[in-house]
Amino acid sequence: MKAVVLVGGFGTRLRPLTLSTPKQMLPVVDRSMLEHVVGTLASHGVDEVVLSLGYKEDVFRDAYPDAVCAGVNLRYAVEPEPLDTAGAVRFAAMAAGINETFIVVNGDVFTDLDVGEVWRRHHEVGAEGTIALTPVDDPSRYGVVPTDADGRVLGFVEKPPRDEAPTNWINAGTYVFEPSVLDRIDGGRKVSIERETFPAIVADGALWAVQSDAYWVDAGTPATYLQIQLDLIDGLRGRAVPGVSAEASVADDAVVEHSVVMAGAVVESGAVVRDSAILAGARVAAGALVEGSVVGPGASIGANAKVAGLSIIGYDTAVEPDAVVVSSKIPEVV
Ligand code: GDD
Ligand code: MG
């Protein structure tokens, strides 16, 4: 099975971290987000991945110079300019010469849903496209997808106002497509799969869906980027993984609770780190408190400073001693 993995977004919601590193190359506990996503696809039988990208493509190439990620061969399809989700799928599939049934995934989705099951259902009903759905409390941030009892899709509404969402089953960002879907997408311009292509396939009655309540998180926001890491150490996806790297240094009298501390990071004497992710090479100085926040690679939190409330500290950024940072992005994102 071949999969196109969309990784060309700007990661706006995760700035300032994504100003230098594309979202899918941010670390998640011990590996890049992409490596987790591709590893999961491989476990479901995907053996070739076409990376659909543009924004900061060099970061991907530098990380996977031999074009192998999680044991899977990668092909890079670099858009000359962002073509939006459908334009990107078309560009990548054509670049890779795909002419058989293929998979598409949003590269920021962490999930245990069974792609093989979507693939089987797709063939069983003879669909042109089949998408996985997951239930959420607030559908307004996603593509909302009502179906009939057999799973035929009745409509596709991207990010509707909360009180107008017809169901709480949403687009889980995992699709199986016939190559004919590509003929529906204009070349050379931005086309949104959610706003243009899906509604067009629905109008022809050829879009189907498979519901799944398996683990599912879109990691594209500060809250969910932190959540996927804490979920891994909590064992919500298979065996719990250790949060504190063997190559991190945590002082004996520091407190690290329910947190990720990556390689080369330092937590000094008397510091407290709770429900947070301290990325590689960052430093939390003596007496500082980091709570429910993300401290970027190489950043330093000064002595007795307080960082809390889902704050995001950017790469190599210094928070002054005694500073108080609550629910903020540093450097400030304009
Ligand atoms: N190559 C390329 N080019 N990739 C892109 C582009 C582009 O122009 N624009 C976005 N992407 C990639 C992003 O990097 C991401 O992996 C994926 O496409 C989806 O974009 P997001 O920005 O993360 O979209 P979203 O989270 O707001 O909504 C999408 O995902 C939800 C599920 O996670 C939609 O597909 C919703 O319908 C869906 O419910
Ligand atoms: Mg997303």
Side-chain angles (χ1 to χ4, degrees):
M1 296 194 290
K2 289 183 186 169
V4 171
V5 179
L6 296 176
V7 297
F10 293 115
T12 321
R13 291 163 289 191
L14 281 174
R15 287 177 184 167
L17 294 172
T18 44
L19 291 173
S20 47
T21 301
K23 171 164 65 177
Q24 295 83 0
M25 286 307 296
L26 291 173
V28 173
V29 184
D30 57 347
R31 284 167 283 159
S32 68
M33 189 182 293
L34 180 70
E35 222 159 310
H36 286 275
V37 169
V38 173
T40 303
L41 288 174
S43 74
H44 290 294
V46 168
D47 53 10
E48 192 184 320
V49 159
V50 185
L51 274 192
S52 161
L53 75 175
Y55 180 63
K56 302 219 177 277
E57 49 130 340
D58 50 307
V59 180
F60 293 89
R61 289 188 195 274
D62 290 350
Y64 308 106
D66 53 358
V68 177
C69 173
V72 177
N73 289 324
L74 295 181
R75 182 194 278 263
Y76 294 94
V78 183
E79 290 157 56
E81 65 203 346
L83 292 171
D84 207 341
T85 42
V89 169
R90 181 178 191 273
F91 182 89
M94 307 251 300
I98 290 178
N99 54 16
E100 64 214 331
T101 312
F102 65 105
I103 294 166
V104 174
V105 301
N106 287 346
D108 60 348
V109 167
F110 262 50
T111 182
D112 290 332
L113 76 83
D114 184 355
V115 183
E117 169 68 21
V118 184
W119 182 274
R120 279 189 294 280
R121 182 70 182 148
H122 176 82
H123 288 103
E124 193 175 275
V125 297
E128 184 174 358
T130 304
I131 68 184
L133 308 183
T134 187
V136 294
D137 291 337
D138 176 9
S140 65
R141 286 175 38 207
Y142 304 100
V144 180
V145 188
T147 64
D148 70 13
D150 295 330
R152 193 191 294 265
V153 175
L154 300 176
F156 192 109
V157 201
E158 183 69 5
K159 304 191 173 98
R162 195 168 183 166
D163 52 358
E164 286 173 26
T167 166
N168 69 334
W169 287 94
I170 59 104
N171 169 23
T174 301
Y175 322 132
V176 175
F177 286 160
E178 289 308 301
S180 61
V181 168
L182 304 173
D183 303 332
R184 294 177 175 271
I185 304 167
D186 286 347
R189 71 167 173 95
K190 282 186 201 268
V191 183
S192 159
I193 208 156
E194 296 86 357
R195 294 176 197 278
E196 276 194 55
T197 315
F198 285 147
I201 309 177
V202 171
D204 290 345
L207 191 67
W208 291 74
V210 174
Q211 297 182 337
S212 165
D213 53 14
Y215 180 91
W216 185 91
V217 177
D218 174 331
T221 68
T224 56
Y225 172 56
L226 182 56
Q227 185 199 336
I228 54 169
Q229 308 199 55
L230 301 184
D231 286 350
L232 285 175
I233 67 173
D234 288 344
L236 297 191
R237 295 189 73 193
R239 188 194 292 259
V241 303
V244 179
S245 162
E247 289 140 62
S249 150
V250 177
D252 287 344
D253 64 344
V255 175
V256 173
E257 238 176 58
H258 194 228
S259 294
V260 170
V261 182
M262 295 186 190
V266 178
V267 182
E268 293 182 0
S269 173
V272 176
V273 174
R274 205 176 276 137
D275 306 321
S276 294
I278 311 297
L279 307 198
R283 173 172 159 263
V284 181
L289 168 69
V290 178
E291 204 168 54
S293 295
V294 177
V295 177
S300 74
I301 310 303
N304 303 311
K306 178 181 167 187
V307 174
L310 209 52
S311 292
I312 305 276
I313 311 301
Y315 275 69
D316 300 319
T317 301
V319 170
E320 296 297 312
D322 301 311
V324 176
V325 175
V326 180
S327 305
S328 302
K329 296 179 170 192
I330 312 277
E332 208 175 311
V333 175
V334 283

